[in-house]
Amino acid sequence: MQAVQFTEHGDTDVIEYGEFPDPEVGPDDVLVDVKAGALNHLDVWTRRGLPGLDLEMPHIPGSDAAGEVVEVGDDVRAFEPGDHVAVSAGVYCGECEFCRHGEFPLCKEYHILGEHVRGVHAERAALPAKNLVAVPDHVDWTTAAAAPLVFQTAWRMLHTRADIESGESVLVLGASGGVGHAALQIAAEAGCEVYATASNEEKLDYARDLGADHAINYEAEDFAAQIRDRTGRRGVDVVVDHVGAATWSDSLKSLAKGGRVVTCGATTGGQPQTNINRIFWNQLTVLGSTMATPGEAEDALAKVWDGTFEVHVRDTLPMSETAAAHDLLENREGFGKVVVIPDEEH
């Protein structure tokens, strides 16, 4: 089969699209004919090389994909050939103390397909059945591929970790990205007043179309100052920050007393300076979040499949042009997700 792959970490020139051995199907696995894959920023970080990351080379990237089941292992009962499925990339043991209590993202052996082990940007992928979710036949492949990681991540951040309520105010940073545009819609659908930041007016207009009540151009304005001004110096109840060092201080400044900031990543760096005085004096809560449980993923994706939430795809490229797809992410071009299609399907 053909697969996106790299044999060393580096810039986009390390990415190749070529022959790779066909996957083997174990008793608990499902063989999927991949129709589309989607990129996330973790694909960029994995390709560059994360501290402590020890990958089996060649590495196939990709945590998001969708396709048709072509074969199932002997012990699989949930799927059969012909089913449409999407990948849910979190892998867990199912046996540790956290898994026994349903907190799968806290599993001691938790890892993510495409980041810690070989991923799914290939013509075919053999995956544990528990890492697949059913997709209704009416949902197109690009939507099915682009939705799972970002919508389950944003759903857990807001509903499980931050426990948002109708009437609260939520600031979503980087609303033009995958997690950002998912979080914006989830907060709006929950009845929250949504503030969104993006880098230009085109992105802000689209954020408004998705449900943002207020839009702030962070390139032209100090978003923390704007939040204080627009809320009568109160601040917001919740900040969704997946940006990291570049925004962390202003995220804390944007919170109301008793507010909470929830984070799932740190695109600009994971070691920001923190004003601890502000945290204890204003009694702020800092919440971490990673991926989601199977139930949370199903809840979030059900609202994608029925059209409640929109997955915006900024561009679709053949898998042989995955390097260009990485460039789109790194250069922050456009709004929403980038999808790659196996060349034979494109």
Side-chain angles (χ1 to χ4, degrees), residues 65-66 84-87 132-149 151 297-311:
H84 291 194
V85 294
V87 176
L132 296 173
V133 293
V135 178
D137 289 351
H138 73 271
V139 177
D140 64 86
W141 295 122
T142 56
T143 296
L149 191 145
F151 274 90
E298 290 173 4
D299 289 343
L301 292 174
K303 290 181 177 291
V304 176
W305 308 153
D306 71 12
T308 300
F309 299 145
E310 174 185 334
V311 184

Side-chain angles (χ1 to χ4, degrees), residues 61-289:
S63 303
D64 270 331
E68 184 175 332
V69 174
V70 294
E71 182 183 342
V72 299
D74 292 341
D75 295 337
V76 174
R77 300 291 180 268
F79 301 102
E80 60 184 26
D83 287 349
H84 291 194
V85 294
V87 176
S88 185
V91 180
Y92 50 90
C93 73
E95 300 175 355
C96 70
E97 60 178 303
F98 300 106
C99 289
R100 289 198 302 271
H101 289 91
E103 284 296 325
F104 302 103
L106 295 177
C107 173
K108 295 178 180 180
E109 299 180 14
Y110 195 81
H111 57 277
I112 298 173
L113 295 170
E115 181 176 6
H116 305 101
V117 296
R118 284 173 178 159
V120 292
H121 287 175
E123 289 181 327
R124 291 195 169 189
L127 302 162
K130 66 182 181 181
N131 284 105
L132 296 173
V133 293
V135 178
D137 289 351
H138 73 271
V139 177
D140 64 86
W141 295 122
T142 56
T143 296
L149 191 145
V150 295
F151 274 90
Q152 69 175 286
T153 297
W155 185 274
R156 179 175 174 85
M157 290 176 77
L158 287 165
H159 280 299
T160 304
R161 302 293 289 138
D163 194 22
I164 56 173
E165 296 181 358
S166 179
E168 289 192 306
S169 51
V170 177
L171 167 62
V172 178
L173 302 186
S176 64
V179 170
H181 92 299
L184 188 166
Q185 295 177 75
I186 291 167
E189 197 261 346
C192 297
E193 183 176 10
V194 181
Y195 295 78
T197 72
S199 60
N200 61 51
E201 288 306 313
E202 181 182 3
K203 293 177 181 179
L204 292 173
D205 284 342
Y206 196 79
R208 294 184 186 97
D209 290 343
L210 290 181
D213 301 291
H214 312 274
I216 301 168
N217 185 335
Y218 67 78
E219 293 282 5
E221 301 173 303
D222 179 331
F223 76 79
Q226 285 292 311
I227 291 295
R228 304 305 291 184
D229 288 345
R230 299 187 190 197
T231 61
R233 303 197 63 77
R234 176 187 182 273
V236 295
D237 298 299
V238 176
V239 175
V240 176
D241 187 335
H242 51 90
V243 181
T247 56
W248 189 251
S249 177
D250 284 336
S251 290
L252 297 180
K253 289 179 184 177
S254 300
L255 285 170
K257 289 181 182 255
R260 54 243 195 242
V261 58
V262 58
T263 178
C264 67
T267 305
T268 60
Q271 297 183 352
Q273 289 189 331
T274 297
N275 184 346
I276 295 176
N277 293 341
R278 182 182 295 278
I279 292 175
F280 70 69
W281 188 254
N282 288 341
Q283 300 192 44
L284 306 180
T285 301
V286 176
L287 299 163
S289 189

